[in-house]
Amino acid sequence: MKRLFFSVFSLVILASCGSSSETVKTQTTSSKSVSSTYWQQHVDYKMTIDMDVNNYQYQGTQNLVYTNNSPDVLNHVYYHLFFNAFQPGSEMDVRSRTIADPDGRVGDRISKLKPNEIGYINVTSLKQNGQAINYKTVGTILRVDLAKPIQPGEKVTFDMQFNAQVPVQIRRSGRNNAEGVALSMTQWYPKLAEYDFEGWHADPYIGREFHGVWGNFDVALTIDKNYVVGGTGYLQGEPKITGNKKTLHFLAPNVHDFTWAADPDYIHDTMQVPNGPLLNFYYKSTLSDETKENWKKLQPKTVELMQYFSEHIGKYPYDQYSVIQGGDGGMEYAMCTLITGKRKFGSLVGVTAHELAHTWFQFLLASNESKHEWMDEGFTSYISDYAMDAIMNQNKKNPTQGAYRNYIYLANSGKEQPLTTHSDRYAINMAYGIAAYSKGEVFLAQLGYVIGEENLKKTIKKYYDDFSFKHPRPLDIIRTAEKLTDLELDWYLIDFAQTTNTIDYGVKSVEDKTITLERIGLMPMPIDLSVTYTDGTTENFYIPLRMMLGGKPTTATIKPDWAWAYPTYTLETSKTVKSVEIDPSGFMADVNRENNTLEK
């Protein structure tokens, strides 16, 4: 998702529609057991859609087979009707007009939509195993009263008919965006809400992120024959043309969303990743020659990005991925992204890097974005910053430095809320943006400071191996690191992600060969210390944190551990000290670095 603040940017990934493919590569959930009690729901969608590009309305049928893998009896089910947010008086509209710093893309625009410009999804019929059932639309949620409870292990079929209208492009979805893309079809169908160990996640759509059920999609889309379509899944055979319309058939195995975009002026380019997927690029022929050239130059860079993420996280498991001009910035979806396309080359690569990285951190490691937005936005920002550093030859000492700067600003602003805050419940957008993107990025980068960079790299790969095609939680990344390092790390998750405790260590005094450090902030950390002696030599020290019950691999001189409850720590050196610096690498998120150094 795209948001700008200082150096924070979050862009967007949209579902990808690839070249024609007669066979579908099936993806299966990892056979590795995460725990003996883990379970997740499953859904199979079969939809037929008939789009009228003249009035932007469409008719749909949906056959949905839902598998209750939970140990619970389900008495209700819920669907998301995201397009209903784009109506005057909706929660998204009112929140945008009452928050102190509204998103400039939304503002008061929803309140001014005319009846033929609003979005809606209207369910006209719903049956459970052939029996008509009662349902009620509540804003962007459809509550369904079941004819018969769904038992553990039971499969149930829901048959639905609906009609809908595509809103004027305001946020992520819509028609005729600022760059003239006709249809950006994201969150466009009645989407079953997720049910997990916490219960139902039937969150209203107010403006943030999403959560979905893993499953398979079979979608037949009928649209004007002159429109070029890109979206999630694999195109099955050639489109069938009837009169002025064509029908395209897509299959998308093992994803948790389905998106498409369409425009009569799309150019469609492809580029093959060696030993990887086919990349698709959809961008308008009406772009300037310079911008179209940027889209051409983007293509080999996207190959490099795909290779980087596959090497440093885990292999991309699908056969295709699409970069599509559309939307309102950048947003991630299954197998693809929608991005605005009128960009300079660096911006075009940057937004693609971020949104492509979301394929791993959210679309394969499918955390709940509404509750744990920092897990997808922050981890994505971390790995995309390193990818950009590598493929654009930036050679930065710390590619995540901007995230540290933003987080420290927020921590000192008095406006920070803990990362346990639901994404819709941040008091201001600025606090959300920095928390999700920057603090989330610092969480991962600083974990490398705590356990060692090589251990962090192993942790990321193990996390992918164990939790791809699942719904990982914050504890899962920490437990992965603990199992790899044999260190105690629960304190790190608690203090950094569940509180607003800050890190502040300082050099209190230097006397000849004696250094006294102090802990000022509430959050504990191990300490890297660089000492320069009066003879000009230097020595690095490592002070383990006692509650870690161990330390990271290091070539520094290891000193006795420091227990958190002790406010000061004294270190004796072998020679007379000239100057001292805490955390010379800058990878510890100390909110006051002015007291990190002391020179005699």
Side-chain angles (χ1 to χ4, degrees), residues 85 87-99 107 110-111 206:
Q87 300 175 11
S90 71
E91 288 191 71
M92 182 185 287
D93 171 35
V94 173
R95 179 59 172 162
S96 177
R97 289 187 285 114
T98 56
I99 196 169
I110 297 176
S111 69
I206 299 176

Side-chain angles (χ1 to χ4, degrees), residues 302-535:
T302 308
V303 170
E304 292 182 59
L305 288 167
M306 179 65 74
Q307 292 172 320
Y308 185 94
F309 297 138
S310 288
E311 177 185 352
H312 290 87
I313 310 172
K315 185 173 175 58
Y316 179 77
Y318 303 104
D319 284 338
Q320 66 94 7
Y321 183 85
S322 297
V323 180
I324 307 172
Q325 183 186 357
D328 63 344
M331 182 66 198
E332 69 276 4
Y333 295 96
M335 298 188 206
C336 75
T337 179
L338 282 187
I339 62 173
T340 47
K342 293 182 178 180
R343 296 172 178 266
K344 294 181 179 179
F345 178 62
S347 174
L348 199 58
V349 177
V351 67
T352 302
H354 184 92
E355 304 313 330
L356 176 55
H358 268 302
T359 289
W360 284 263
F361 293 119
Q362 212 283 321
F363 267 93
L364 287 165
L365 295 156
S367 55
N368 183 342
E369 291 181 296
S370 294
K371 289 187 63 177
H372 310 301
E373 64 283 350
W374 59 276
M375 290 183 70
D376 73 294
E377 295 298 352
F379 293 7
T380 289
S381 297
Y382 168 86
I383 201 69
S384 60
D385 275 346
Y386 273 94
M388 285 291 288
D389 188 69
I391 73 161
M392 300 297 280
N393 300 312
Q394 294 172 342
N395 300 315
K396 295 179 180 178
K397 180 181 178 182
N398 177 3
T400 64
Q401 185 176 10
Y404 279 81
R405 182 170 59 249
N406 293 339
Y407 160 66
I408 290 168
Y409 165 82
L410 178 64
N412 289 321
S413 72
K415 298 176 181 179
E416 184 185 9
Q417 294 171 248
L419 293 181
T420 51
T421 304
H422 189 284
S423 62
D424 284 318
R425 249 81 84 201
Y426 281 86
I428 54 177
N429 281 320
M430 179 273 286
Y432 164 80
I434 297 180
Y437 295 89
S438 294
K439 190 173 184 181
E441 179 171 358
V442 172
F443 179 94
L444 206 56
Q446 187 174 242
L447 182 60
Y449 169 87
V450 172
I451 67 175
E453 285 300 318
E454 288 304 312
N455 280 331
L456 176 61
K457 292 176 182 177
K458 293 175 183 177
T459 294
I460 292 171
K461 290 183 177 182
K462 180 64 173 171
Y463 177 57
Y464 176 80
D465 287 344
D466 287 350
F467 293 98
S468 55
F469 298 103
K470 296 181 177 68
H471 293 297
R473 296 166 286 159
L475 182 61
D476 294 321
I477 184 71
I478 287 299
R479 289 292 292 131
T480 300
E482 285 185 330
K483 291 174 184 177
L484 278 169
T485 62
D486 202 27
L487 297 171
E488 288 296 306
L489 299 170
D490 57 335
W491 60 272
Y492 183 68
L493 178 66
I494 291 168
D495 277 71
F496 205 68
Q498 298 176 6
T499 76
T500 54
N501 291 346
T502 56
I503 302 162
D504 185 6
Y505 283 85
V507 184
K508 187 174 185 179
S509 65
V510 175
E511 299 292 340
D512 194 26
K513 299 179 182 180
T514 303
I515 301 168
T516 301
L517 309 178
E518 60 180 336
R519 176 186 56 76
I520 302 161
L522 282 174
M523 181 167 172
M525 286 293 282
I527 298 298
D528 289 346
L529 194 71
S530 178
V531 176
T532 300
Y533 298 115
T534 54
D535 65 4

